[in-house]
Amino acid sequence: MVSEIRANELDTEKFIKEKAGEISSIVGNGTALMLCLAGLILQSSRYLGIRLWAVG
Amino acid sequence: MKTVFINNGIMRKGEPEKIAGTFEKLGVKVEVIDARKKFLDALKGITDPEEKREAITQTFYKDVFGQLVKKSGAKYLLQGTILTDIDETIAGIKRQHNVFEQLGIDTKKEFGYKIIEPVVQLRKDGVRKLGKALGLPESIYNRMPFPGPALAARVIGEANEEKIELVREATAIVEGELKNTKAFQYMAILHEDKVTGMRDGKRDFGMQIELRCWESLDARKAKPTRLPYETLEKLASRLTNEIPGVVSVTYNITTKPPSTIEAV
């Protein structure tokens, strides 16, 4: 079950730090923040046939 | 990390070039993969909306990405799934192409890689807020949504090359005319049924285009934009005069729900 974070409750700085932490535990520190940012760009310009993939 | 753009043949006019250019300006090198034939072949003969979505999903994840991943040895695919995708898929409204775990699908087993979804807790408005806070260009974080099945979602019935091309032209006209409305999303949809029209005093049994233009915050609910009648008349005139075979243009005034933003 995915918990929702509403836009008006979103602390952007905290969110990015948390996501970077979560992802770093999967792929390593070096690429975590980059992946987080890339995910955001992807969603913003989503459905354009773009996908990013990482060699973890 | 490697960035790829899949040209699936169902994108809007000039989109592959625009996207690669936008990302290059951001310092992200994008490799363009020409997979047009694969997608158009996968869509051949399919008329059911959910089957169409499934064909696109399988071609994306199993065929095209599956091969890319195999070649490179990548272990993860990063994608921008949001909560609305999951809600709509679980509720059975539309099978969004990017939802797997919630449907009990193990992507490692199915496709050979795991999927990372950093913004899955957010909806569209949250993503835009985050994008703005990070200093991304407004052209990126405020970009109009576009469906996963791309223009195949804008063709009711079989989405073949000819129909995709027609709806691509219609989309360019509609997006050009409505770009200053600041609406959440607008589109042209090609209907499957033909209607009787007339041209040069003769019967023309032709195609019909439905226009949609939405006001919404997060895509969960939406209402049609009250477009000026002059704008609608201009669109009807351009679509019937500039696209051969189109004889009818309608404007959808239904709210979401019971309608959805896309027709397929």
Side-chain angles (χ1 to χ4, degrees), chain A residues 3-5 7 10 12 15 19 26 35 38-44 46-54, chain B residues 2-6 11 15 19 65 72 74 76 78 80 82 85 97 118 121 123-124 129 134 143 146:
Chain A
S3 58
E4 178 175 359
I5 301 174
L10 177 65
T12 50
F15 182 86
K19 288 294 152 192
I26 305 171
L35 285 177
L40 190 72
I41 295 170
L42 268 177
Q43 171 46 219
S44 304
R46 182 169 81 117
Y47 297 151
L48 300 169
I50 302 165
R51 297 295 183 272
L52 292 146
W53 41 287
Chain B
K2 190 167 182 180
T3 314
V4 292
F5 176 90
I6 306 294
M11 294 290 151
E15 195 147 34
I19 295 307
F65 284 118
S72 71
Y76 301 97
L78 179 76
I82 57 169
D85 297 331
H97 74 293
Q121 290 170 280
R123 296 192 190 273
K124 186 63 87 182
K129 183 177 173 182
L134 282 162
R143 202 169 195 276
F146 190 58

Side-chain angles (χ1 to χ4, degrees), chain B residues 11 26 62 76 84 94 103 105 123 130 188 223 244:
Chain B
M11 294 290 151
L26 291 170
K62 203 166 199 164
Y76 301 97
T84 312
K94 279 176 190 172
L103 296 174
I105 298 168
R123 296 192 190 273
L130 204 54
K223 60 180 185 180

Side-chain angles (χ1 to χ4, degrees), chain B residues 227-244:
Chain B
L227 291 173
Y229 214 84
E230 293 72 23
T231 305
L232 291 169
E233 282 177 332
K234 189 175 179 191
L235 279 165
S237 170
R238 286 197 63 192
L239 289 164
T240 51
N241 285 310
E242 294 177 32
I243 304 181

Side-chain angles (χ1 to χ4, degrees), chain B residues 60-241:
Chain B
F60 252 127
Y61 291 93
K62 203 166 199 164
D63 189 351
V64 179
F65 284 118
Q67 283 182 21
L68 287 171
V69 163
K70 215 175 270 178
K71 248 191 252 172
S72 71
K75 292 175 185 165
Y76 301 97
L77 168 72
L78 179 76
Q79 65 176 19
T81 315
I82 57 169
L83 200 52
T84 312
D85 297 331
I86 292 170
D87 287 349
E88 291 196 344
T89 302
I90 289 175
I93 298 164
K94 279 176 190 172
R95 197 290 193 218
Q96 298 292 354
H97 74 293
N98 52 1
V99 175
F100 297 101
E101 194 188 321
Q102 289 75 16
L103 296 174
I105 298 168
D106 181 346
T107 57
K108 176 79 184 154
K109 206 170 144 191
E110 282 286 318
F111 312 129
Y113 51 85
K114 287 192 172 182
I115 293 179
I116 299 172
E117 298 165 319
V119 291
V120 75
Q121 290 170 280
L122 307 179
R123 296 192 190 273
K124 186 63 87 182
D125 51 344
V127 170
R128 287 183 166 152
K129 183 177 173 182
L130 204 54
K132 192 175 180 184
L134 282 162
L136 289 176
E138 191 179 353
S139 61
I140 291 282
Y141 71 75
N142 254 348
R143 202 169 195 276
M144 184 166 68
F146 190 58
L151 293 176
R154 306 272 170 87
V155 174
I156 299 176
E158 184 183 358
N160 59 29
E161 206 168 352
E162 188 190 348
K163 287 182 176 177
I164 292 286
E165 191 48 44
L166 190 151
V167 87
R168 185 178 283 129
E169 286 301 320
T171 300
I173 292 172
V174 171
E175 290 191 355
E177 291 293 337
L178 299 183
K179 68 181 174 199
N180 293 327
T181 60
K182 307 275 182 204
F184 180 81
Q185 201 170 348
Y186 35 87
M187 65 197 73
I189 295 156
L190 176 62
H191 278 237
E192 191 172 20
D193 292 339
K194 286 189 168 186
V195 291
T196 300
M198 56 186 292
R199 212 180 284 273
D200 303 326
K202 286 181 185 163
R203 182 178 191 266
D204 186 357
F205 192 53
M207 285 166 280
Q208 47 180 334
I209 295 273
E210 175 189 334
L211 303 176
R212 293 185 178 195
C213 184
W214 297 104
E215 301 299 324
S216 180
L217 186 65
D218 55 16
R220 279 187 293 180
K221 287 182 180 177
K223 60 180 185 180
T225 306
R226 287 179 174 251
L227 291 173
Y229 214 84
E230 293 72 23
T231 305
L232 291 169
E233 282 177 332
K234 189 175 179 191
L235 279 165
S237 170
R238 286 197 63 192
L239 289 164
T240 51
N241 285 310

